[in-house]
Structures are given as structure tokens and as C-alpha cells.
């Protein structure tokens, strides 16, 4: 597995359970037990998902007595967003060119269009 930050983040985001965990953490910090409640899996399985998210830098885990709060760290998500923005501009430009061609075709008299 690649260890560059973008690859780690994208790999972590590839799993729907981890995305659901991040969605929950976007509401505020919570414990592993509370994070595990909506999932039909064991606490150790949820902990494995949390380790993946932590390795990707998407969450941090603290320690307050017996409570281990998890917190969202949105930094890596910003990096993904910036990476995707390049492709968003590409598609916007490509679709803009396509729109221009379609308008030219629509504006052309019917006899100018080849069958």
C-alpha cells in the first residue's frame, strides 16, 4: 500500500463504514462505543476502521481517563478537495467547449449540416 498522504486518504475514504464514521465525527467528538452503535459489527472491527482513518490523518484519538474520544481532522479532506478541483476545472472547460460546438451546430442552417 502506498504511503503518500493522498493515497492513504483516498484508500480510507473508499469504505462506506469509514465514510459514515467521518460523517458522525463531523458533528463532534465521540467515543468508540458511540461510533460503533449504528454498525452491525464488533468493537474490534470498528477499531480497525478507526486505525485506518487515524493512519490517514483523518481522525485523532485522545485519552481522558477511561474515555477515548475520537475527533475529525479535516486537513486531509482539504487535500483531496484541492486534488479534485483540478479535474473539476478540466470537466468544466471540456463541457464548455462541447456547449460551444453544440450551439454552433444548432445555429448553422440545415443545408450546411452534412448527413
Amino acid at each position: 500500500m502506498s504511503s503518500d498522504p493522498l493515497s492513504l486518504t483516498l484508500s480510507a475514504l473508499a469504505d462506506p463504514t469509514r465514510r459514515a464514521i467521518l460523517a458522525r465525527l463531523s458533528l463532534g467528538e465521540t467515543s468508540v462505543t458511540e461510533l460503533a452503535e449504528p454498525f452491525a459489527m464488533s468493537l474490534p472491527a470498528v477499531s480497525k476502521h478507526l486505525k485506518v482513518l487515524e493512519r490517514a490523518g483523518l481522525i485523532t484519538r485522545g485519552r481522558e481517563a477511561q474515555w477515548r474520544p475520537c475527533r475529525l481532522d479535516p486537513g486531509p479532506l482539504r487535500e483531496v478537495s484541492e486534488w479534485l478541483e483540478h479535474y473539476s476545472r478540466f470537466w468544466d472547460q471540456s463541457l464548455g467547449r462541447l456547449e460551444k460546438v453544440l450551439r454552433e451546430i444548432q445555429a448553422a442552417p440545415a443545408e450546411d449540416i452534412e448527413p
Side-chain angles (χ1 to χ4, degrees):
M1 175 187 242
S2 182
S3 63
D4 73 277
L6 184 59
S7 293
L8 286 172
T9 302
L10 292 172
S11 178
L13 293 173
D15 185 274
T17 299
R18 292 193 284 268
R19 292 192 305 271
I21 289 170
L22 291 176
R24 168 53 189 91
L25 289 174
S26 72
L27 303 174
E29 73 180 28
T30 190
S31 69
V32 174
T33 305
E34 290 170 342
L35 284 172
E37 284 176 4
F39 303 107
M41 62 178 71
S42 66
L43 274 175
V46 171
S47 289
K48 286 182 181 182
H49 284 291
L50 293 174
K51 286 178 186 175
V52 172
L53 292 169
E54 193 171 28
R55 189 170 38 252
L58 290 162
I59 67 166
T60 58
R61 293 200 275 183
R63 176 165 282 223
E64 298 172 17
Q66 298 294 346
W67 195 53
R68 302 259 330 199
C70 296
R71 295 175 190 90
L72 176 66
D73 183 346
L77 294 174
R78 191 175 319 112
E79 293 171 20
V80 170
S81 178
E82 290 168 0
W83 180 76
L84 288 171
E85 180 61 29
H86 166 76
Y87 294 98
S88 177
R89 284 191 305 270
F90 166 78
W91 281 110
D92 287 345
Q93 291 169 355
S94 296
L95 292 173
R97 288 191 300 269
L98 177 60
E99 181 180 17
K100 181 181 175 191
V101 169
L102 290 174
R103 284 186 183 170
E104 290 171 358
I105 291 171
Q106 288 173 340
E111 64 270 1
D112 289 348
I113 300 174
E114 293 182 33

